[in-house]
């Protein structure tokens, strides 16, 4: 079944729950996107920038040492960390910025958590000559101050958000408020597979280049499909990007790893599928961390990029239909994975995909040596050095 | 027309129409700065001639609201305001103000999470007449509307300057009794200048496709603004200006503010100008 339907629903999730002021802009965006979807010149331009500017295709690297360590299936790493700006986020921002340009919207706004999406948006805007404003929660701006500087260097204005929990959720609120006020001149580049229709679909489509490449590469290298594809999930754009081309390959397990923070029992985490309930926020119906009266809860994760109380509606759909499974890793497990990948493979991961490392090892360990597992390494760890130093100082 | 004339909201609309009067729709957030203060402020705006009352249900993520009401929601939640407080307040006020329609203004998630059926019934049992849900556009409103219809409750939809003719028709088809027209593209909150020319144009478009009365809100904080907007519409919604005074515990200031707005609306009333 092809999702979403014409109303933007993935099964019972998704939709378009926004103030009326934004409805026309979303209709217009959807219409414009449907137009470019059929326009080869748009995709040629998009692919040109992905290749020449962002550095695609990224390698699918056979992680020999990690494979030996796990003692089972061969582990391949999809190296999104090697992309320009250091993460998969650039795939989406290039696509949306090109679309905005076609729509004649020369002002871009974005929200950012870890700062990766903000940097990727600022980069695409610099490249295409668009004005750029990035909203970032005060807490995130502090823990990711290098990215704040990078965005400014790229010509973006960074607006620090001091309302609510001062993290990604509040940055999205503030970006939505800006969009409501400036909708006629502005395009909102949402950074994940979240938000009102058509964003979850559109971001998935732009990010699915990850999975398309990985599928072609694994067939070329191994002549078979993987037993499992593993990725971290906050809002879920890197996971959706690598899962999507495998959804119809039923033998491929799709495993998303949420941020378990200090442990689900502490309430200090960001595992919305594992511990949330269905709700409506930021334009979509999906799983959210909330109390019994629908108030959204404060989240916690060691990684700013996963520190979000919701998840994209297509993940909710894949979870509910049983097609994908969602587990979680705690801050501590993420740090273990962070160290492990650095030592064994010489690859320092971002804290977000570091959440998935131990899970990959576990899954591979239970499979035979003939099998193959793919791990989406969505970004590199440079941005996280200060955070990790605080936690591992003396240990390293 | 379905529903018109039924219940307090329908009756009030008929009454306003008969008198040719412009409506004052007043908004306050429950629990800001405290429950008791907000209850008293609700009484003030009701005593001073509020025609339709909007009871603000505090929510953690009020995306359609500007800084004043955001703060009110945040403080109310920090004070421990819960759904039961909102319903207690509406029940208390209902005993004191029999004829005024109460609309609960809430984001969709509290309704959705507590269960549509349960939430609507709770509201009804506590004297509420209907709902305004700023993040529920007509395309997504059908589930709630079905429950409201069953319980004899109203659902008032919002329109905006960016609503196309097609969208205005859709809104008109689904909204009960009246339409809440947002005066500008933006969030709630006081503005020095309102885009009146554009509003005039958009309201003319609305009138050409919809007969239901239209109340205009967002940005209105002064008597002269209320008058200018009411000349184009059937009434005004005032929120942030009241919320701000309520937050400062300026009961007398709030009373004066409501009077200022009410006076400016009465000055347009035909009975006043005889």
């Amino acid at each position: 079944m092809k999702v979403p339907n014409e109303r933007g629903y993935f099964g019972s999730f998704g939709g378009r729950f926004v103030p009326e002021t934004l409805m026309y802009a979303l209709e217009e965006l959807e219409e414009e996107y449907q137009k470019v979807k059929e326009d080869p010149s748009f995709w040629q331009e998009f692919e040109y920038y992905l290749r020449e500017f962002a550095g695609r295709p990224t390698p699918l690297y056979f992680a020999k040492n990690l494979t030996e360590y796990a003692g089972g299936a061969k582990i391949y790493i999809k190296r999104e960390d090697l992309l320009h700006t250091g993460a998969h986020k650039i795939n989406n921002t290039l696509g949306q910025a090109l679309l905005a340009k076609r729509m004649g919207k020369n002002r871009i706004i974005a929200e950012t958590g870890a700062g990766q999406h903000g940097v990727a948006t600022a980069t695409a805007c610099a490249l295409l000559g668009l004005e750029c404003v990035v909203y970032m929660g005060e807490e995130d701006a502090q823990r990711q101050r290098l990215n704040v500087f990078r965005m400014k260097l790229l010509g973006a204005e960074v607006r620090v958000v001091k309302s609510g929990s001062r993290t990604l959720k509040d940055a999205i609120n503030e970006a939505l408020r800006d969009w409501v006020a400036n909708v006629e001149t502005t395009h909102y580049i949402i950074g994940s597979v979240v938000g009102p229709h058509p964003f979850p679909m559109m971001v998935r489509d732009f990010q699915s280049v990850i999975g398309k490449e990985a599928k072609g590469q694994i067939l070329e290298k191994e002549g078979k499909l993987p037993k499992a594809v593993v990725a971290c999930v906050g809002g879920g754009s890197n996971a959706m990007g690598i899962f999507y081309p495998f959804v119809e390959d039923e033998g491929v397990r799709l495993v998303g790893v949420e941020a378990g923070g200090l442990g689900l029992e502490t309430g200090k985490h960001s595992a919305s599928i594992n511990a949330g309930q269905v709700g409506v926020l930021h334009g979509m119906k999906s799983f959210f961390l909330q109390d019994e009266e629908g108030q959204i809860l404060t989240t916690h994760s060691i990684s700013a990029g996963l520190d979000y109380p919701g998840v994209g509606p297509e993940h909710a759909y894949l979870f509910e239909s049983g097609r994908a499974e969602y587990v979680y890793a705690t801050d501590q497990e993420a740090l273990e994975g962070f160290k492990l990948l650095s030592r064994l493979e010489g690859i320092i991961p971002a804290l977000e995909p570091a959440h998935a490392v131990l899970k990959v090892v576990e899954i591979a360990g239970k499979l035979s040596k003939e099998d193959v597992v793919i791990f989406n390494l969505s970004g590199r760890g440079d941005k996280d050095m200060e955070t990790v130093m605080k936690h591992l100082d003396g240990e390293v | 027309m379905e529903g018109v004339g039924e219940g307090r909201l329908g009756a009030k609309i008929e009454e306003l129409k008969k008198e040719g009067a412009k409506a004052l729709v007043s908004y306050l957030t429950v629990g800001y700065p405290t429950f008791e203060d907000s209850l008293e402020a609700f009484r003030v705006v009701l005593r001073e001639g509020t025609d339709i009352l909007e009871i603000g249900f505090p929510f953690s993520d009020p995306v359609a609201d500007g800084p004043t009401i955001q703060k009110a929601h945040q403080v109310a939640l920090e004070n421990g305001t819960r759904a039961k407080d909102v319903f207690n307040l509406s029940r208390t006020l209902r005993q004191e103000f029999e004829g005024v329609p109460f609309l609960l203004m809430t984001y969709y998630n509290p309704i959705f999470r507590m269960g549509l059926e349960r939430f609507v019934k709770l509201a009804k049992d506590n004297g509420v007449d209907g709902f305004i849900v700023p993040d529920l556009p007509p395309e997504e409103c059908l589930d709630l509307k079905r429950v409201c219809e069953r319980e004899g409750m109203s659902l008032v939809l919002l329109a905006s300057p960016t609503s196309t003719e097609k969208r205005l028709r859709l809104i008109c088809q689904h909204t009960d009794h009246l339409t809440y027209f947002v005066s500008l593209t933006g969030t709630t909150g006081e503005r020095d200048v309102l885009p009146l020319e554009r509003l005039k144009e958009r309201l003319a478009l609305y009138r050409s496709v919809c007969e239901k009365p239209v109340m205009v809100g967002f940005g209105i904080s002064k008597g002269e603004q209320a008058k200018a907007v009411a000349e184009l519409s059937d009434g005004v919604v005032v929120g942030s200006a009241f919320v701000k005074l309520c937050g400062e515990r300026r009961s007398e200031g709030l009373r004066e503010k409501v009077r200022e707005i009410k006076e400016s609306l009465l000055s347009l009333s035909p009975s006043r100008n005889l």
Side-chain angles (χ1 to χ4, degrees):
Chain A
M1 191 174 61
K2 202 168 138 47
V3 287
N5 68 12
E6 71 288 348
R7 289 181 54 226
Y9 275 86
F10 304 85
S12 55
F13 304 101
R16 199 175 261 173
F17 296 85
V18 292
E20 172 63 22
T21 304
L22 294 179
M23 288 301 282
Y24 179 65
L26 292 169
E27 287 176 0
E28 187 187 52
L29 178 62
E30 186 189 356
E31 208 173 291
E32 201 67 28
Y33 180 63
Q34 293 301 350
K35 240 187 273 168
V36 303
K37 231 176 164 173
E38 311 300 325
D39 180 354
S41 76
F42 177 82
W43 297 98
Q44 276 161 16
E45 197 181 10
F46 180 46
E47 280 155 21
Y48 167 81
Y49 284 113
L50 286 181
R51 186 178 67 241
E52 303 291 330
F53 182 72
R56 300 212 75 92
T58 59
L60 184 70
Y61 173 69
F62 172 52
K64 185 165 155 285
N65 300 332
L66 195 65
T67 298
E68 275 170 24
Y69 177 84
K74 283 178 151 180
I75 299 171
Y76 278 86
I77 300 179
K78 184 60 175 162
R79 300 289 309 272
E80 294 298 294
D81 61 313
L82 293 177
L83 277 181
H84 182 40
T85 72
H88 71 292
K89 295 288 185 188
I90 192 85
N91 302 328
N92 170 44
T93 61
L94 283 172
Q96 285 202 52
L98 287 168
L99 184 61
K101 208 158 172 161
R102 286 199 174 207
M103 293 172 71
K105 295 199 169 175
N106 290 317
R107 180 173 179 270
I108 297 294
I109 54 170
E111 84 295 340
T112 196
Q116 292 305 103
H117 174 61
V119 168
T121 304
T123 300
C125 288
L127 173 72
L128 298 173
L130 301 166
E131 185 190 340
C132 182
V133 174
V134 180
Y135 289 91
M136 190 170 191
E138 192 177 33
E139 194 185 323
D140 292 335
Q142 279 163 5
R143 57 182 169 177
Q144 299 290 351
R145 58 196 176 144
L146 275 177
N147 272 341
V148 174
F149 186 69
R150 288 164 85 193
M151 287 184 266
K152 288 181 179 167
L153 210 53
L154 290 160
E157 181 194 338
V158 179
R159 294 191 186 162
V160 174
V161 178
K162 296 181 177 173
S163 59
S165 63
R166 305 170 186 208
T167 60
L168 181 54
K169 157 180 97 83
D170 309 282
I172 295 179
N173 290 345
E174 216 44 48
L176 282 168
R177 290 179 188 122
D178 180 314
W179 204 29
V180 169
N182 300 295
V183 62
E184 283 143 315
T185 58
T186 299
H187 175 68
Y188 177 15
I189 300 190
I190 289 186
S192 192
V193 285
V194 299
H197 180 62
F199 282 107
M201 165 182 81
M202 194 171 73
V203 176
R204 171 199 75 193
D205 290 351
F206 289 139
Q207 289 293 2
S208 67
V209 63
I210 306 171
K212 278 181 215 151
E213 276 178 19
K215 196 169 178 177
Q217 288 164 322
I218 202 69
L219 288 173
E220 194 185 304
K221 287 171 197 283
E222 294 287 340
K224 61 182 161 197
L225 290 172
K227 285 283 178 200
V229 176
V230 187
C232 65
V233 177
S237 71
N238 90 83
M240 213 51 243
I242 197 158
F243 286 178
Y244 189 58
F246 291 100
V247 166
E248 282 171 16
D249 301 309
E250 280 176 21
V252 181
R253 264 175 85 188
L254 304 175
V255 183
V257 185
E258 295 196 304
L262 303 178
L264 298 195
E265 68 288 352
T266 65
K268 292 184 166 62
H269 58 80
S270 309
S272 29
I273 294 182
N274 276 280
Q277 297 85 24
V278 180
V280 174
L281 184 75
H282 294 152
M284 60 179 171
K285 190 181 285 181
S286 189
F287 285 96
F288 292 97
L289 296 171
Q290 53 183 320
D291 70 16
E292 65 280 7
E293 293 190 357
Q295 305 292 348
I296 303 302
L297 298 173
T298 306
T299 54
H300 163 83
S301 171
I302 191 169
S303 68
L306 301 182
D307 206 344
Y308 178 65
V311 67
E314 194 161 7
H315 284 295
Y317 169 69
L318 291 176
F319 168 73
E320 203 182 56
S321 67
R323 177 62 191 92
E325 56 201 287
Y326 295 85
V327 296
Y328 66 91
T330 61
D331 288 355
Q332 206 49 48
E333 288 165 330
L335 284 168
E336 290 302 318
F338 187 92
K339 282 189 290 185
L340 192 67
L341 198 66
S342 302
R343 292 277 173 86
L344 283 182
E345 291 293 347
I347 299 171
I348 299 178
L351 276 171
E352 289 80 11
H355 280 75
V357 173
L358 296 189
K359 193 70 200 169
V360 170
V361 168
E362 185 193 318
I363 290 171
K366 289 180 185 161
L367 293 167
S368 88
K369 294 193 189 319
E370 317 303 313
D371 295 326
V372 175
V373 168
I374 296 178
F375 163 42
N376 195 27
L377 184 59
S378 57
R380 58 180 176 247
D382 309 30
K383 68 178 174 61
D384 295 315
M385 284 306 134
E386 284 198 48
T387 307
V388 176
M389 266 168 72
K390 247 184 269 162
H391 285 85
L392 296 184
D393 210 11
E395 240 186 87
V396 177
Chain B
M1 255 183 289
E2 106 224 6
V4 170
E6 289 167 21
R8 284 187 202 91
L9 186 58
K12 176 61 76 175
I13 295 291
E14 285 301 302
E15 178 193 320
L16 289 163
K17 206 185 279 175
K18 208 177 294 164
E19 292 171 1
K22 305 291 186 180
L24 170 60
V25 184
S26 302
Y27 169 94
L28 286 166
T29 307
V30 179
Y32 178 68
T34 65
F35 179 82
E36 288 303 324
D37 287 317
S38 67
L39 178 60
E40 203 37 52
F42 273 105
R43 285 181 175 130
V44 169
V45 300
L46 283 162
R47 275 186 215 122
E48 298 303 324
T50 289
D51 296 295
I52 298 170
L53 186 70
E54 284 185 22
I55 300 175
F57 189 110
F59 182 53
S60 53
D61 295 82
V63 290
D65 285 299
T68 303
I69 295 180
Q70 277 176 50
K71 186 181 165 199
H73 283 228
Q74 195 170 340
V75 169
L77 291 174
E78 283 165 7
N79 284 343
T81 306
R82 304 292 284 170
K84 69 168 170 31
D85 301 305
V86 176
F87 294 128
N88 279 340
L89 179 134
S90 71
R91 193 175 59 240
T92 304
L93 292 175
R94 176 51 72 216
Q95 286 157 4
E96 299 169 23
F97 301 89
E98 176 44 38
V100 182
F102 294 171
L103 297 174
L104 195 57
M105 181 139 187
T106 173
Y107 287 85
Y108 191 48
N109 200 46
I111 304 180
F112 183 81
R113 176 75 179 108
M114 291 171 70
L116 273 52
E117 197 96 19
R118 180 171 158 231
F119 194 95
V120 170
K121 278 190 175 146
L122 262 171
K124 185 184 176 181
D125 291 345
N126 288 287
V128 171
D129 302 291
F131 304 93
I132 304 178
V133 188
D135 56 350
L136 198 67
E139 286 86 342
E140 303 286 0
C141 82
L142 299 179
D143 290 344
L144 181 59
K145 193 161 166 68
R146 212 167 297 128
V147 179
C148 283
E149 269 169 12
R150 205 181 309 142
E151 298 295 328
M153 300 282 272
S154 302
L155 181 61
V156 172
L157 298 183
L158 292 98
S160 133
T162 60
S163 303
T164 54
E165 185 180 325
K166 192 174 149 214
R167 296 201 55 77
L168 290 173
R169 285 184 197 279
L170 188 67
I171 291 162
C172 188
Q173 183 195 333
H174 291 298
T175 196
D176 291 320
H177 301 295
L178 66 99
T179 299
Y180 182 149
F181 206 102
V182 172
S183 68
L184 43 81
T185 54
T187 50
T188 59
E190 301 172 31
R191 305 290 201 283
D192 287 334
V193 183
L194 292 173
L196 287 175
E197 274 313 303
R198 185 174 187 206
L199 182 61
K200 190 175 176 181
E201 208 179 283
R202 302 314 295 181
L203 287 173
L205 178 65
Y206 173 85
R207 299 279 199 206
S208 74
V209 302
C210 190
E211 286 182 353
K212 292 177 183 168
V214 59
M215 312 292 171
V216 176
F218 282 34
I220 301 164
S221 63
K222 301 185 190 89
E224 74 229 46
Q225 288 174 325
K227 189 175 169 186
V229 169
E231 279 176 334
L232 308 172
S233 64
D234 301 299
V236 299
V237 187
V238 180
S240 297
F242 293 166
V243 169
K244 192 171 154 204
L245 290 164
C246 172
E248 292 164 355
R249 294 191 172 79
R250 287 167 59 193
S251 207
E252 195 47 44
L254 177 61
R255 198 181 326 273
E256 281 164 21
K257 180 55 77 179
V258 186
R259 277 182 192 165
E260 174 193 333
I261 308 247
K262 187 72 185 177
E263 275 301 312
S264 70
L265 296 178
L266 287 173
S267 74
L268 296 172
S269 151
S271 56
R272 173 72 75 92
N273 298 328
L274 282 178

